[in-house]
Amino acid sequence: MSLKEDVGREQWASRLGFILAAMGSAVGLGNVWRFAYVTGENGGAAFLLIYLACILLIGIPIVMAEFTIGRKAKSDAVGSFEKLAPGKPWKIAGLMGVAAAFMILSFYGVIAGWISYYFVNYLTGNLWTAPEGGYEGFFVDFITNPYHPLLWQFLFMAATIAIVYVGVKKGIERSNKILMPLLGVLLIGLSAYGLTLGGAREGLAFLFSPDWSALTDPNIYLAALGQAFFSLSLGMGALITYGSYLSNKERLPGAAASVAGLDTLFAIVAGIMIFPAVFAFGIEPASGPGLVFMIMPDVFDSISMGWLFGLLFFFLLAAAALSSAVSLLEVAVAYFIRRFSWSRRKAALVIGGIIFLLGIPSSLGQGILSNVAIIGGRDILDSIDFIASNILLPLGGLMIALFMGWGFKKADALSDSDFGDTWLGNAWLFLLRYFAPVAIFIIFLSSIGLLDLILNLFR
Ligand code: PHE
């Protein structure tokens, strides 16, 4: 396919280019770092089940809606709503998305900086054997240092900015063709190794055999919903923006299913890699955001030549994080380019720079600002993550579902999405019109205790 320019907008060079870019956005720290620690904190299998239900019944339909909106409007997260529904308030969803992009990338850069630091320490040999104070001590020393993590956050953000500066198509269309499959192969290999560890039985039970009593805790629904949106890059217009670089020849439902399917597979494989090790090495599953950093070095230490796997693991995970970070920055940059007529270069530098600065408190919150607790005892990073991932993304998704389900003529929605008037297309619209909005609404209500209150009225 040719590199045709559509009124000056970039277009993906091929169908594969688009799918790879969307997969590159979806697969990232969310599948390994965030999935592992959130699953660990929420008790494992019961959480996983709700997470999968959220992906299937809420996530995939909204992925389809974002692709459809983006390709049809050919504009950014905000402009797409303005174009398809001029003068209507739907564009608030896009503005919330831009805000979420700023927030998520601010802490994403911090964690990706940690990953990069670990990669370099496997390169230099520092982490080939346990340092004085052990791997946990090494981790805590590093993240509580006021300056050191900022350097790595800066380097990671600089790489993200550089890619967005040259343009999404040139920058990322090719980059993930090799590295993402390699990460997949490595995770599969490491999860096979995990199954040989002493903790395999316990780890698998934790991940796959649900403790049903966990389902009575309203918080795990919100956590699962947020994780589904975060992992799918959903609810903030990232997929609208990527869909806008797509030509009209593509078939969207297949693309949506493969992106969501692959993303979910990565998370499950990562779970099989991590939880047997968590039990084998006696680490608490609910250790929080440090879980991956504390457990994986033990795993590599227990393999002969394991440092090589450590090196590859942190390198490939950093690469996966980079393609996700690019999509986050692109949401904001695409908006500023159109809305304020900035050049791509100016937008990438200015916005990327601001986001780097916004991330600094999240980094300092691990050390000198660790006594600052914002939302329910969460530190700065966790609080920003909570507001963006568990509130803004599902809220944005809710609006996108309503827009596609009710703001479109039914016949248009069916044909613009490539579903046509099929049972699948109608099922999709049903989920967007009724199921997803109601489910998101109920999860919100229950997480603030309102659902209980209302149900009690009827008891
Ligand atoms: N999905 C990405 C990940 O799993 C993070 C992301 C969220 C990217 C939202 C874009 C938009 O790491």
Side-chain angles (χ1 to χ4, degrees):
M1 251 168 257
S2 69
L3 303 179
K4 189 178 80 210
E5 293 284 314
D6 173 16
V7 272
R9 283 183 72 74
E10 285 191 288
Q11 261 191 30
W12 305 112
S14 65
R15 171 163 200 271
L16 195 63
F18 163 69
I19 292 198
L20 280 171
M23 285 174 174
S25 169
V27 174
L29 298 179
N31 305 67
V32 181
W33 162 74
R34 201 177 188 282
F35 175 77
Y37 98 76
V38 174
T39 304
E41 277 183 343
N42 287 284
F47 169 86
L48 181 61
L49 218 61
I50 301 175
Y51 166 72
L52 292 176
C54 287
I55 296 266
L56 197 66
L57 300 174
I58 302 174
I60 294 179
I62 300 178
V63 170
M64 267 305 294
E66 285 206 27
F67 283 173
T68 305
I69 292 167
R71 184 179 65 179
K72 177 159 199 188
K74 296 248 169 7
S75 185
D76 54 82
V78 181
S80 290
F81 292 101
E82 284 174 350
K83 221 163 168 178
L84 297 181
K88 300 249 175 69
W90 295 109
K91 71 170 183 184
I92 295 170
L95 289 168
M96 270 172 19
V98 173
F102 272 82
M103 293 170 73
I104 293 177
L105 186 52
S106 77
F107 69 80
Y108 205 88
V110 174
I111 307 289
W114 298 358
I115 301 276
S116 315
Y117 177 68
Y118 268 58
F119 161 62
V120 170
N121 276 279
Y122 272 100
L123 204 59
T124 59
N126 243 350
L127 281 176
W128 293 9
T129 53
E132 238 177 281
Y135 291 116
E136 282 190 59
F138 176 87
F139 175 67
V140 173
D141 276 352
F142 170 60
I143 64 165
T144 54
N145 184 294
Y147 313 107
H148 201 176
L150 295 182
L151 170 71
W152 294 95
Q153 180 204 350
F154 176 81
L155 291 175
F156 180 84
M157 286 303 297
T160 306
I161 292 167
I163 293 178
V164 173
Y165 183 96
V166 297
V168 182
K169 194 176 68 198
K170 255 188 260 143
I172 65 166
E173 192 157 345
R174 254 160 314 192
S175 70
N176 264 27
K177 256 182 211 167
I178 302 164
L179 299 186
M180 204 171 31
L182 272 184
L183 178 63
V185 170
L186 182 69
L187 293 186
I188 291 172
L190 288 171
S191 62
Y193 173 71
L195 294 178
T196 70
L197 292 172
R201 186 184 294 264
E202 260 179 295
L204 291 181
F206 181 80
L207 198 56
F208 296 119
S209 141
D211 164 12
W212 300 111
S213 68
L215 295 180
T216 54
D217 175 5
N219 292 314
I220 90 169
Y221 297 88
L222 187 64
L225 184 70
Q227 176 60 23
F229 272 84
F230 186 94
S231 195
L232 291 172
S233 304
L234 197 57
M236 50 168 278
L239 301 180
I240 292 181
T241 308
Y242 274 18
S244 77
Y245 306 130
L246 191 56
S247 85
N248 292 328
K249 285 175 262 180
E250 318 300 338
R251 307 259 310 136
L252 296 181
S258 30
V259 171
L262 187 87
D263 185 68
T264 309
L265 202 62
F266 263 89
I268 292 176
V269 172
I272 300 176
M273 170 183 79
I274 287 164
F275 286 104
V278 163
F279 288 95
F281 296 104
I283 290 196
E284 178 55 41
S287 297
L291 185 64
V292 168
F293 296 91
M294 294 191 288
I295 194 69
M296 291 315 290
D298 274 329
V299 171
F300 301 129
D301 203 346
S302 72
I303 310 177
S304 67
M305 299 268 290
W307 61 269
L308 190 62
F309 295 106
L311 183 91
L312 279 172
F313 175 79
F314 287 107
F315 171 71
L316 294 172
L317 194 53
L322 189 60
S323 58
S324 300
V326 163
S327 71
L328 283 158
L329 184 54
E330 179 67 15
V331 168
V333 162
Y335 170 65
F336 275 79
I337 290 177
R338 178 190 57 84
R339 179 69 178 73
F340 302 103
S341 310
W342 286 10
S343 70
R344 168 166 285 279
R345 293 175 174 191
K346 175 177 172 189
L349 285 173
V350 173
I351 312 243
I354 292 174
I355 292 176
F356 165 70
L357 296 176
L358 284 175
I360 292 177
S362 287
S363 181
L364 298 182
Q366 311 303 312
I368 53 174
L369 297 182
S370 60
N371 53 348
V372 180
I374 307 179
I375 296 185
R378 293 179 174 83
D379 68 17
I380 300 174
L381 190 155
D382 272 358
S383 300
I384 296 179
D385 184 1
F386 180 85
I387 296 170
S389 313
N390 292 6
I391 313 275
L392 287 182
L393 296 186
L395 207 56
L398 173 74
M399 294 186 65
I400 291 167
L402 292 175
F403 178 61
M404 194 82 241
W406 300 100
F408 263 62
K409 273 204 219 88
K410 187 172 174 197
D412 285 349
L414 288 174
S415 75
D416 291 338
S417 63
D418 303 334
F419 270 123
D421 196 357
T422 56
W423 74 267
L424 204 58
N426 285 290
W428 172 62
L429 276 182
F430 172 82
L431 290 172
L432 286 180
R433 286 184 163 181
Y434 305 102
F435 185 82
V438 170
I440 295 173
F441 189 68
I442 289 181
I443 292 175
F444 276 156
L445 279 187
S446 71
S447 72
I448 51 175
L450 264 182
L451 191 66
D452 259 5
L453 224 67
I454 296 171
L455 289 178
N456 275 334
L457 291 181
F458 296 96
R459 269 183 204 143

